[in-house]
């Protein structure tokens, strides 16, 4: 067989794809839309690595590290302070700037420095501040908006960020609120390597998200199967042999695939522009981020048409095309099960050598992981036609709509299975990933130890802000139940310049606040308590003697350090330590304000712990606004019982973003597939209505034809997904546990997508039942 004959036959198929009149164009467009949706997602996937790299590059380029080597003031220095905040769970990046010379470095995205009491904001922050929802945030940022941050200074189109001008930041260097830099960025930054389990998660996420796309593309190139069979029979009637007929059919699929590439490019470019206006799971991008790798884009452009040709040739191998028809219309031979089990077994065989490897024995073999997961997921597409055929073959009597649906499925179970293959693969992969994420989540989550039953927010009071004034302002803030002001310092048994052998913490507060730290026998202003039972109180007992002289260290604004002597009073009471709001049992001494000396008071670091009533709308925002009024550079901390690894959260967020895109593809592709099948049966539906069949009966039969394969597909997907999830958990040396809520959730989402698609297909179904559906040309 020479290349010229292949080219001639494929070219004839291409002409058939676009020269078949209205029906041919509709068939080609449906195929192109189905393929195009998959191509758009493939192009998006090839652009993801570049988008993530660009986000990281821009984040590195605007870094303003103020720790490390101390820098002296000069014409090329800039004072800067981080003033990030949170508003309604949205992160707002804030920086306060004060240039110290004409050559001070300008942040990326700014054309000039904002003057004091001015700020430049991101477009998304400007929009929020201008809206009614941003009233509380405007109160917290009392600067005049004088400009917009350019794209080079932002990592995403929906990022909330601002740069504000200020004066006097050099006075805040001593309390670490501000720092001095000569340049933005971190030239020595090196990417942090993921541990083996996170790498496994990333690898599986990519495979699971791309597999449904491949399945949908393979299904889309087979649209118009019944009408194509008649055309192929006509070709045999005019003298073509079986091989030529199959090549012509492949050429016809190639035409739809090539048009699909064009549609996919258009969909991708439209989606690329649309991406700038949306944010998914706190991730947004600029259109310029989404530039596919030329090599990967070329691979997509070659692979999709090649796949269309190969899929068509493979599916026609078992079909006998004769001049009087295609034998597929007769009862086909029963599908065999044995070879369909080989794919999932091969997948398990690839993954088996890595069982129990965990994160301690190096990286997982990427090729085996990819091959094993692909084989298991492709096994779903191999098993589902056999299961659908076997099941519907045993279904019997019922209502008229039920019998119509069952008979249709018995005649074309393969087409029904093809329609649900993609969603079954997606659900199986999602279940496996959810099990894996749920299983390893504890390894990336730690307990903070904070006693959130006592306090939910905390505020470190700067040295220039009076602690009692801060406590009084916060106590009167809307949504605050109670305020516990505490301050502390460290006391040594000799001056700090002489390096004390023993040192203990001294906590200062009124009696009400001290009862949050210890169980007090009695308390009056002027009392001093020695704590028992603290977590770090081994040095307390030797120092707990009335008359003992201890020393605290005081640092002046100019950086000079002096020692302040303090003598323990007589009597010295004792108290039992309890868990304070930070979750720690303190040791050392407790002092009431009346027991302080003037010098010791100057060494204290103040803290305010707040009990917040979250039933009050925007209670935490009111607290943040009150703190900003006390000191624009200060930010309160909101506490939670647990903290999760940012890298783990990033992978999980990527999964959610990708899964959302795949679900949109699933819905759109299913709708196109459903409409194609209805179009194929338009004349049959119109004939049944003409003979008196009720529209309600036909509508129910269509619903049954969708529900039965989907139900079977979700069952197979659940079984395969739980199997894959269990294997992945064993690979990470994690106890196998079925996350039933996630299994039910993903199954429900898959079923929900199908319900929505079915409801959207009902209006076209009702139109196709009209008598004009009997027209033919």
């Amino acid at each position: 067989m020479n290349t010229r004959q292949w080219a001639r036959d494929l070219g004839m198929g291409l002409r058939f794809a676009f020269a078949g009149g209205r029906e041919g164009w509709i068939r080609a467009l449906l195929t192109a839309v189905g393929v195009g949706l998959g191509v758009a997602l493939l192009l998006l996937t090839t652009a993801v690595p570049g988008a993530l790299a660009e986000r990281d590059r821009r984040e590195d380029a605007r870094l303003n590290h103020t720790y490390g080597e101390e820098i002296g003031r000069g014409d090329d220095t800039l004072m800067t302070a981080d003033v990030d905040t949170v508003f309604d769970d949205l992160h707002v990046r804030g920086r306060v700037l004060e240039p110290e010379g004409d050559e001070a470095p300008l942040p990326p995205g700014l054309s000039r420095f904002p003057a004091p009491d001015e700020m430049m904001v991101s477009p998304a922050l400007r929009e929020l501040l201008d809206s009614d929802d941003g009233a509380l945030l405007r109160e917290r940022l009392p600067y005049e908006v004088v400009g917009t941050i350019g794209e080079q200074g932002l990592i995403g189109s929906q990022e909330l960020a601002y740069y504000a001008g200020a004066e006097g930041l050099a006075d805040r260097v001593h309390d670490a609120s501000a720092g001095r830099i000569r340049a933005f960025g971190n030239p020595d930054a090196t990417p942090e390597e993921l541990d083996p389990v996170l790498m496994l998660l990333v690898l599986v996420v990519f495979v699971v998200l791309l597999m449904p796309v491949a399945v949908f593309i393979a299904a889309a190139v087979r649209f118009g199967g019944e009408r194509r069979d008649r055309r192929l029979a006509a070709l045999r009637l005019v003298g073509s042999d079986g091989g030529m007929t199959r090549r012509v059919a492949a050429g016809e699929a190639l035409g739809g695939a090539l048009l699909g590439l064009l549609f996919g490019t258009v969909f991708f470019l439209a989606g690329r522009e649309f991406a700038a206006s949306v944010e998914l799971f706190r991730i947004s991008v600029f259109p310029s981020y989404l530039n596919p790798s030329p090599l990967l884009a070329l691979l997509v452009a070659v692979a999709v048409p090649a796949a269309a040709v190969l899929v068509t040739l493979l599916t026609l191998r078992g079909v006998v095309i004769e001049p009087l028809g295609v034998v597929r219309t007769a009862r086909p031979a029963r599908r065999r099960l044995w070879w369909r089990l080989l794919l999932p077994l091969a997948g398990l065989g690839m993954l088996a050598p890595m069982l129990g490897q965990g994160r301690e024995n190096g990286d997982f073999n990427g090729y085996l992981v990819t091959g094993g997961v692909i084989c298991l997921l492709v096994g779903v597409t191999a098993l589902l036609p056999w299961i659908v055929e076997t099941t519907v073959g045993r279904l019997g009597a019922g209502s008229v709509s039920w019998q119509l649906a069952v008979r249709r499925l018995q005649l074309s179970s393969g087409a029904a299975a093809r329609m649900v293959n993609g969603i079954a693969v997606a659900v199986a992969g999602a279940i496996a990933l959810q099990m894996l994420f749920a299983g390893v989540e504890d390894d990336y989550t730690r307990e903070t130890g904070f006693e959130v039953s006592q306090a939910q927010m905390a505020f470190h009071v700067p040295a220039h802000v009076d602690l009692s004034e801060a406590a009084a302002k916060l106590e009167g803030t809307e949504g605050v139940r109670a305020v516990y002001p505490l301050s502390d310092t460290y006391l040594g048994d000799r001056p700090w310049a002489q390096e004390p052998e023993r040192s203990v913490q001294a906590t200062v507060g009124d009696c009400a606040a001290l009862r949050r730290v210890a169980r007090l026998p009695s308390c009056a202003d002027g009392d001093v308590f020695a704590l028992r039972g603290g977590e770090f109180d081994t040095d307390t007992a030797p120092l707990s003697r009335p008359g003992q002289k201890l020393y605290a260290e005081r640092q002046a604004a100019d950086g000079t350090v002096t020692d302040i002597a303090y003598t323990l009073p007589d009597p010295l009471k004792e108290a039992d330590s309890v868990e304070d709001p930070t979750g720690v049992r303190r040791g050392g001494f407790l002092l009431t304000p009346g027991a302080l000396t003037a010098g010791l008071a100057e060494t204290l670091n103040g803290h305010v712990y707040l009990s917040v009533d979250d039933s009050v709308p925007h209670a935490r925002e009111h607290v943040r606004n009150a703190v900003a009024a006390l000191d624009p550079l200060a930010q309160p901390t909101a506490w939670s019982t647990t903290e999760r690894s940012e890298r783990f959260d990033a992978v999980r967020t990527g999964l959610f973003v990708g899964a959302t895109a795949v679900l949109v593809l699933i819905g759109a592709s299913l709708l196109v597939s459903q409409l194609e099948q209805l179009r194929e049966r338009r004349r049959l539906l119109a004939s049944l209505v003409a003979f008196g069949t009720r529209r309600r009966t036909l509508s129910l039969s269509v619903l049954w034809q969708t529900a039965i394969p989907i139900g079977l597909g979700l069952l197979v997907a659940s079984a395969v997904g739980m199997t894959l999830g269990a294997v992945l958990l064993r690979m990470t040396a994690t106890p196998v546990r079925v996350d039933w809520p996630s299994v039910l959730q993903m199954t429900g989402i898959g079923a929900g997508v199908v319900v929505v698609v079915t409801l959207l297909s009902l209006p076209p179904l009702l139109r196709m039942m009209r008598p004009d559906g009997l027209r033919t040309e």
Side-chain angles (χ1 to χ4, degrees), residues 66-70:
T66 56
Y67 53 82
E69 179 185 357
E70 187 173 338

Side-chain angles (χ1 to χ4, degrees), residues 410-720:
Q410 289 172 343
L411 289 175
S412 58
S413 61
R418 282 200 305 273
M419 188 182 74
V420 301
N421 266 337
I423 196 166
V425 168
V427 170
I431 289 173
L433 275 175
Q434 287 286 13
M435 285 180 61
L436 182 56
F437 271 107
V440 303
E441 185 174 16
D442 290 344
D443 296 336
Y444 297 94
T445 305
R446 71 174 186 89
E447 298 286 337
T448 61
F450 293 136
E451 283 293 324
V452 295
S453 59
Q454 295 189 50
Q456 296 81 44
M457 299 186 77
F459 167 44
H460 172 67
V461 182
H464 69 279
V465 176
D466 183 73
L467 178 62
S468 58
E469 177 190 344
K473 183 173 182 62
L474 290 169
E475 196 168 13
T477 301
E478 184 178 354
V480 175
R481 285 198 189 101
V483 171
Y484 311 116
L486 292 169
S487 51
D488 56 57
T489 189
Y490 280 87
L491 301 174
D493 61 353
R494 65 177 65 170
W496 287 85
Q498 302 176 20
E499 298 183 359
E501 290 184 6
R502 296 184 177 90
S503 63
V504 293
Q505 185 179 28
T507 302
V508 181
D510 58 27
C511 292
L514 292 181
R515 285 194 171 93
R516 295 286 165 180
V517 177
R519 191 176 297 108
L520 306 180
S522 63
C523 183
D525 195 22
D527 286 346
V528 177
F529 301 87
L531 284 173
R532 297 173 302 198
E535 294 181 19
F536 310 102
D537 65 349
T538 55
D539 290 336
T540 302
L543 303 179
S544 300
R545 297 189 302 269
Q548 173 75 42
K549 182 174 286 190
L550 302 172
Y551 299 87
E553 188 178 48
R554 179 179 64 188
Q555 185 174 9
D558 60 1
T560 59
V561 176
T562 56
D563 287 308
I564 303 297
Y566 179 76
T567 304
L568 293 177
D570 187 10
L572 182 62
K573 297 184 177 182
E574 291 188 341
D576 293 320
S577 182
V578 298
E579 285 190 356
D580 68 3
T582 64
V584 174
R585 291 179 180 268
R586 300 190 185 203
F589 301 99
L590 303 182
L591 287 73
T592 53
L596 280 177
T597 63
L600 187 62
E602 296 178 8
T603 69
L604 298 177
N605 296 305
H607 306 272
V608 177
Y609 304 99
L610 302 102
S611 175
V612 180
D613 184 1
D614 285 320
S615 65
V616 176
H618 306 293
R620 301 194 180 203
E621 305 310 322
H622 289 299
V623 171
R624 293 185 177 104
N625 285 1
V627 169
L630 289 167
D631 181 8
L633 302 189
Q635 293 295 331
T637 303
W639 285 351
S640 61
T641 56
T642 59
E643 284 182 349
R644 202 158 52 205
S645 162
E646 291 184 2
R647 309 285 283 184
F648 180 83
D649 273 346
V651 175
R652 190 164 198 157
T653 299
L655 167 64
F656 288 150
V657 173
T660 301
V662 170
L663 281 175
V664 172
L665 171 70
I666 286 173
S669 298
L670 276 177
L671 182 60
V672 172
S673 177
Q674 185 85 322
L675 293 177
E676 189 272 340
Q677 289 195 20
L678 291 176
R679 187 183 67 86
E680 290 280 342
R681 298 165 51 205
R682 179 180 58 188
R683 191 173 296 109
L684 173 62
L685 294 171
S687 301
L688 289 172
V689 171
F691 278 102
T693 307
R694 291 186 301 176
R695 294 173 184 266
R696 177 173 175 273
T697 300
L698 289 179
S699 299
L700 284 175
S701 74
V702 172
L703 292 176
W704 281 121
Q705 287 174 50
T706 304
I708 293 172
I710 284 295
L712 294 173
L714 293 179
L715 285 176
V716 175
S718 299
V720 174

Side-chain angles (χ1 to χ4, degrees), residues 354-371:
M354 294 175 284
L355 294 179
Q357 179 174 323
R359 60 170 53 80
E360 306 298 331
N361 298 309
D363 294 337
F364 293 93
N365 187 305
Y367 297 105
L368 288 179
V369 170
T370 303

